Amino acid sequence: MSKTRKQAPARAQAATAVATCDGDGAAGDGAAPTGVSRRRLLGTAGATGLVLGAGGGAAGYAATRPEEPAALTTVGATEAMFHGKHQPGITTPLQARGHLVAFDLAAGAGRKEAATLLRRWSAVAKELMAGRPAAGAPDGPGHDTGIALDAGPSSLTVTFGFGRTFFARTGLTGRLPAALDPLPVFSADALDAKRSNGDLWVQIGADDALVAFHALRALQKEAAGTARVRWQMNGFNRTPGATARPMTARNLMGQIDGTGNPKPSEEDFGRRVFVPASPGKPQEWMEGGSYAVVRRIRMLLDDWEKLPVERQERVIGRRKADGAPLSGGTETTEMDLDKAGPDGRLVIPDNAHARISSPEENGGAAMLRRPFSYHDGITEDGTPDAGLLFICWQADPFRGFVPVQRKLDRGDALSPFLRHEASGVFAVPGGAAEGEYVGQRLLES
Amino acid sequence: MSKTRKQAPARAQAATAVATCDGDGAAGDGAAPTGVSRRRLLGTAGATGLVLGAGGGAAGYAATRPEEPAALTTVGATEAMFHGKHQPGITTPLQARGHLVAFDLAAGAGRKEAATLLRRWSAVAKELMAGRPAAGAPDGPGHDTGIALDAGPSSLTVTFGFGRTFFARTGLTGRLPAALDPLPVFSADALDAKRSNGDLWVQIGADDALVAFHALRALQKEAAGTARVRWQMNGFNRTPGATARPMTARNLMGQIDGTGNPKPSEEDFGRRVFVPASPGKPQEWMEGGSYAVVRRIRMLLDDWEKLPVERQERVIGRRKADGAPLSGGTETTEMDLDKAGPDGRLVIPDNAHARISSPEENGGAAMLRRPFSYHDGITEDGTPDAGLLFICWQADPFRGFVPVQRKLDRGDALSPFLRHEASGVFAVPGGAAEGEYVGQRLLES
């Protein structure tokens, strides 16, 4: 299904919003996942770009002047699709701003209340992702906050998931997937239970921080009385256009991060990332879904930045500047794990992060990492409270995250520079079909 | 001085970076302030916009392919000028990401050490603002962290200021401006001393969060041994392009915020915002500088959002959707403060925020507000820790912020929804000339 949007989003004042989106027109299960698959595609910027008012300077303050030509922008106008085989926010390109929020059901709320909430959440998410205000009478307490007024959809995605505890609280333990078994304890874990797990999980991403915050508030308001916030984290990635072309992301260590990700064009992408059909099984409702492992990984940047670049590169196994393996080539060149230097030592060291986490070393285990960086200021001891909101997606965490992390936990040269501070695993069901809400197949079938 | 940049920044891989910048070519003192005055001006996006690789989907993960045409982007390529009559970050358009950080001089550090630090900071700021890495040998501990590799300057600005306590610690009380006198205590203040004031203040803004973080780390590293972080805050604004054309910003209450700002095109803009020459006076060194009042203003959003839009509009005195005064017209129409409705009551209520803060009601007092929104997650009581990093610029806080805030403090209808949690006032000297560093006229003359 190919969809071209030519009308302006109701909320945005963009003269024309153009987004070309593939729906389910996939060649093979996961080769072209649903949701947005060609964003920022067309040269919609036209000839004008952004035009400032006469007089120069301080355009951020200048009142809008009606005679200014409205410029088309891909950043604001890009729209991800709510409906589809998979939920948005899994294969959607990284967004500039993200919120992660976990909720626990309130006392007395069960399956019925959860179903009502998921139905409302889905309705709100669909509206907001299209650039429209949240439903609610404009003069009542349910009115839209207005924070996203003027902006387009800005690639907003909202993704919903269920934690292990959700199933007992809603009497649905018969449908609890084995994939939600608790993660093993890793030696490097320093987990804060209050910021881990949760009955429900929502991931919000957008290329505009106000659009993302607007969605967070709207969804939180819908939860009032049914679920309360357990924890909430904010993150960020590159702003679209900050680099001359789409690049693999860098993390706050300065390292290119995500090179080894499975690609949608690879034959086994769908099998690795999305849950297959399993008729009659407890997790039948998860078809088309995926499991998210979420880890708040603090980076000990003061220590890391003291290492000379050459030592950092041996810790990672890749060159810092361009992400090429130390065995040679460019970023996408396959690592030569056996290559030795003139001194007889392995060029990519035994404990290099890229070696240990590579699928070749893990029986093919692979996951789709789609993180946000985070930075919450300075801690009491003066070190930066910053790092990675690591989020990885896989058909089964016990064939994705777990074996890789187990191996990293035993001998990764990067471990001394990281601290896993929070953790969660969530079952993220498939996308809602038209007329359906996310999780309906779990909650109502 | 008009400057056109046609070469690519050294760090950026952009094929061409284009920024048209006015230097000091001002008609009148502040009419066209130095620094960047026409950003995002030209249609540099060309015909291609951003082009994804074939295969669709997940471009964020796709490795860069050398055969992809490099697209020009204004977001990454826009460069603010370090040198000029005024420091950057005052009349520069609002940026998508900001860091505020205050430092206190370390024990034993005095005027000489402060001068060394400001010289180093200026050198680093100049390099980073041009899109180049921070100085330092690539294999030594002073090497660049690499976090901003691949990105262009992305409108990075770095702005330096001095707090009141700086002068006693450096033996410079003879040059302490009266404008740095402590602010009066306001009844609505609930200030946290640990997050207020400070010897030195740095404001960082950029349209890319990694570029901003990169600058924060580089500047912090330079301070090691001379000054330690006292407090640090993160903020954000709209991403360029999220709206169809430049608009006045919205805050997290959903309100258009900044309509009443003085405009660079207005005759008295320079007089209001920048410090005039004062030969032989203690603050002679502040010529071309400005005073920043910084307030962390928490918004009590749970309470605010319960108000119907009509009531919110009477609190503010303007329409939420478009910022037009309740007395009619469009956003830029002057408020009719005397207009009464059919019921004989003032259309813009007596205690409306826009009325009380208007220059007409404050003897012409005006300041240039240039804030960032902030959102630090959820507090212990479940309410959002979010609001405004209010930053205003003026030639004298006692003729700008103070009289307006005094009046607001007595009867602003918005006050019950705000909490001033931190405060600082900083003397921000004029911009450095070529070969000079910021603050040199204070520290060396």
Side-chain angles (χ1 to χ4, degrees), chain A residues 13-15 31-32 36-43 45-52 55-66 68-73 75-77 90-94 96-97 99 138-141 143-152 154 207-211 213 216-217 220-221 229 232 234 236-254 256 258-259 261-265 301-302 304-309 312 320-321 331-332 368-370 373 375-378 382 384 386, chain B residues 13-15 31-33 36-43 45-52 55-66 68-73 75-77 90-94 96-97 99 138-141 143-152 154 207-211 213 216-217 220-221 229 232 234 236-254 256 258-259 261 263-265 301-302 304-309 312 320-321 331-332 368-370 373 375-378 382 384 386:
Chain A
Q13 298 193 6
V36 174
S37 61
R38 284 195 235 154
R39 299 161 69 252
R40 306 177 201 149
L41 180 65
L42 303 172
T48 53
L50 289 174
V51 178
L52 302 194
Y61 322 114
T64 311
R65 305 188 317 159
E68 280 173 8
L72 306 180
T73 78
V75 170
I90 302 173
T91 59
T92 310
L94 297 178
R97 184 73 174 173
H99 299 300
D139 55 353
H143 64 81
D144 187 87
T145 59
I147 297 163
L149 278 169
D150 314 322
S154 305
D207 280 331
D208 179 76
L210 278 88
V211 167
F213 185 81
L216 176 67
R217 291 296 294 166
Q220 199 183 332
K221 191 189 293 182
V229 174
Q232 199 259 299
N234 303 328
F236 58 87
N237 283 301
R238 276 266 135 82
T239 298
T243 58
R245 59 182 162 219
M247 316 262 306
T248 311
R250 281 188 194 272
N251 60 35
L252 296 188
M253 288 177 154
I256 287 183
T259 304
N261 259 338
K263 313 285 183 296
S265 57
L301 293 177
D302 283 348
W304 175 254
E305 292 172 7
K306 283 186 192 121
L307 289 192
V309 169
Q312 291 179 349
K320 192 164 186 179
E331 184 192 343
T332 50
L368 177 65
R369 287 170 290 144
R370 187 180 186 280
S373 290
H375 173 217
D376 292 341
I378 300 274
Chain B
Q13 297 194 8
V36 174
S37 62
R38 283 194 236 155
R39 300 160 70 254
R40 305 175 202 148
L41 182 66
L42 302 172
T48 52
L50 290 174
V51 179
L52 303 192
Y61 322 114
T64 310
R65 307 190 316 162
E68 280 171 8
L72 306 180
T73 79
V75 170
I90 302 173
T91 59
T92 311
L94 297 178
R97 183 75 174 172
H99 300 300
D139 54 353
H143 64 82
D144 187 86
T145 58
I147 297 164
L149 278 169
D150 313 323
S154 304
D207 280 331
D208 179 78
L210 278 89
V211 167
F213 185 83
L216 177 68
R217 292 296 294 166
Q220 198 184 333
K221 192 189 294 181
V229 173
Q232 200 258 301
N234 302 329
F236 57 88
N237 284 300
R238 277 264 136 83
T239 298
T243 58
R245 59 182 164 219
M247 313 264 306
T248 310
R250 281 188 195 271
N251 59 37
L252 297 188
M253 288 177 154
I256 287 185
T259 304
N261 258 338
K263 313 287 182 296
S265 56
L301 293 177
D302 284 348
W304 174 254
E305 292 171 7
K306 281 184 192 123
L307 289 192
V309 169
Q312 292 180 348
K320 192 164 185 179
E331 184 193 343
T332 51
L368 177 66
R369 288 169 290 143
R370 187 180 187 280
S373 290
H375 174 217
D376 291 341
I378 300 272

Side-chain angles (χ1 to χ4, degrees), chain B residues 389-410:
Chain B
L389 301 179
F390 173 96
I391 306 165
C392 71
W393 299 91
Q394 58 257 292
D396 181 352
F398 290 89
R399 291 185 298 129
F401 174 79
V402 171
V404 176
Q405 183 59 26
R406 203 173 255 145
K407 195 147 185 206
L408 288 171
D409 198 43
R410 280 199 298 265

Side-chain angles (χ1 to χ4, degrees), chain B residues 64-276:
Chain B
T64 310
R65 307 190 316 162
E67 67 274 26
E68 280 171 8
L72 306 180
T73 79
T74 45
V75 170
T78 302
E79 178 184 345
M81 295 293 107
F82 175 73
H83 292 297
K85 187 171 174 183
H86 312 301
Q87 287 194 60
I90 302 173
T91 59
T92 311
L94 297 178
Q95 294 129 321
R97 183 75 174 172
H99 300 300
L100 307 183
V101 52
F103 294 84
D104 284 336
L105 289 172
R111 175 172 170 176
K112 185 172 153 240
E113 291 75 17
T116 303
L117 175 57
L118 266 294
R119 188 185 298 112
R120 283 200 309 245
W121 268 354
S122 295
V124 169
K126 179 177 176 171
E127 292 303 296
L128 299 187
M129 284 177 56
R132 293 186 291 261
D139 54 353
H143 64 82
D144 187 86
T145 58
I147 297 164
L149 278 169
D150 313 323
S154 304
S155 302
L156 175 69
T157 59
V158 181
T159 317
F160 301 103
F162 301 102
R164 179 176 174 80
T165 49
F166 179 82
F167 294 82
R169 289 190 184 152
T170 52
L172 289 165
T173 45
R175 293 180 189 172
L176 175 64
L180 281 185
D181 281 358
L183 295 180
V185 174
F186 300 106
S187 70
D189 284 358
L191 304 180
D192 176 358
K194 281 187 294 185
R195 291 192 291 181
S196 295
N197 300 311
D199 293 345
L200 292 157
W201 178 69
V202 183
Q203 173 193 257
I204 295 165
D207 280 331
D208 179 78
L210 278 89
V211 167
F213 185 83
H214 176 247
L216 177 68
R217 292 296 294 166
L219 293 163
Q220 198 184 333
K221 192 189 294 181
E222 292 297 331
T226 307
R228 59 172 184 75
V229 173
R230 178 182 174 87
W231 54 260
Q232 200 258 301
M233 300 174 188
N234 302 329
F236 57 88
N237 284 300
R238 277 264 136 83
T239 298
T243 58
R245 59 182 164 219
M247 313 264 306
T248 310
R250 281 188 195 271
N251 59 37
L252 297 188
M253 288 177 154
Q255 219 63 44
I256 287 185
D257 191 346
T259 304
N261 258 338
K263 313 287 182 296
S265 56
E266 291 164 0
E267 198 187 348
D268 54 0
F269 180 84
R271 185 177 58 76
R272 285 174 154 167
V273 175
F274 295 113
V275 178

Side-chain angles (χ1 to χ4, degrees), chain A residues 6-301:
Chain A
K6 286 195 174 154
Q7 78 282 20
R11 189 180 64 206
Q13 298 193 6
T16 311
V18 178
T20 303
C21 305
D22 289 351
D24 283 75
D29 176 46
T34 47
V36 174
S37 61
R38 284 195 235 154
R39 299 161 69 252
R40 306 177 201 149
L41 180 65
L42 303 172
T44 54
T48 53
L50 289 174
V51 178
L52 302 194
Y61 322 114
T64 311
R65 305 188 317 159
E67 68 273 26
E68 280 173 8
L72 306 180
T73 78
T74 45
V75 170
T78 303
E79 179 185 345
M81 296 292 109
F82 175 74
H83 291 296
K85 188 170 173 184
H86 314 300
Q87 287 194 62
I90 302 173
T91 59
T92 310
L94 297 178
Q95 294 127 322
R97 184 73 174 173
H99 299 300
L100 308 182
V101 52
F103 293 84
D104 284 336
L105 288 172
R111 175 172 170 176
K112 186 173 151 238
E113 292 75 17
T116 303
L117 176 58
L118 266 295
R119 189 186 297 114
R120 285 200 308 247
W121 268 355
S122 294
V124 169
K126 180 178 177 173
E127 292 304 296
L128 300 187
M129 284 177 55
R132 292 187 292 261
D139 55 353
H143 64 81
D144 187 87
T145 59
I147 297 163
L149 278 169
D150 314 322
S154 305
S155 302
L156 176 68
T157 59
V158 181
T159 317
F160 301 102
F162 301 102
R164 178 176 175 81
T165 50
F166 179 83
F167 294 82
R169 290 191 184 152
T170 51
L172 288 165
T173 46
R175 295 182 187 172
L176 175 64
L180 281 185
D181 281 358
L183 296 179
V185 174
F186 301 105
S187 70
D189 284 358
L191 304 182
D192 175 358
K194 282 186 295 185
R195 293 192 291 182
S196 295
N197 301 311
D199 293 345
L200 292 158
W201 178 70
V202 183
Q203 174 193 255
I204 295 165
D207 280 331
D208 179 76
L210 278 88
V211 167
F213 185 81
H214 176 247
L216 176 67
R217 291 296 294 166
L219 294 163
Q220 199 183 332
K221 191 189 293 182
E222 292 297 331
T226 307
R228 58 171 186 74
V229 174
R230 179 183 172 88
W231 54 259
Q232 199 259 299
M233 301 174 189
N234 303 328
F236 58 87
N237 283 301
R238 276 266 135 82
T239 298
T243 58
R245 59 182 162 219
M247 316 262 306
T248 311
R250 281 188 194 272
N251 60 35
L252 296 188
M253 288 177 154
Q255 219 64 43
I256 287 183
D257 191 347
T259 304
N261 259 338
K263 313 285 183 296
S265 57
E266 291 166 0
E267 197 187 348
D268 54 359
F269 179 84
R271 186 176 58 76
R272 285 174 154 168
V273 175
F274 295 113
V275 178
S278 57
K281 297 281 174 62
Q283 70 162 344
E284 178 174 3
W285 58 276
M286 272 292 287
E287 182 181 355
S290 186
Y291 292 92
V293 177
V294 181
R295 311 277 284 189
R296 188 179 195 269
I297 305 179
R298 183 150 161 215
M299 294 171 167
L300 307 182
L301 293 177

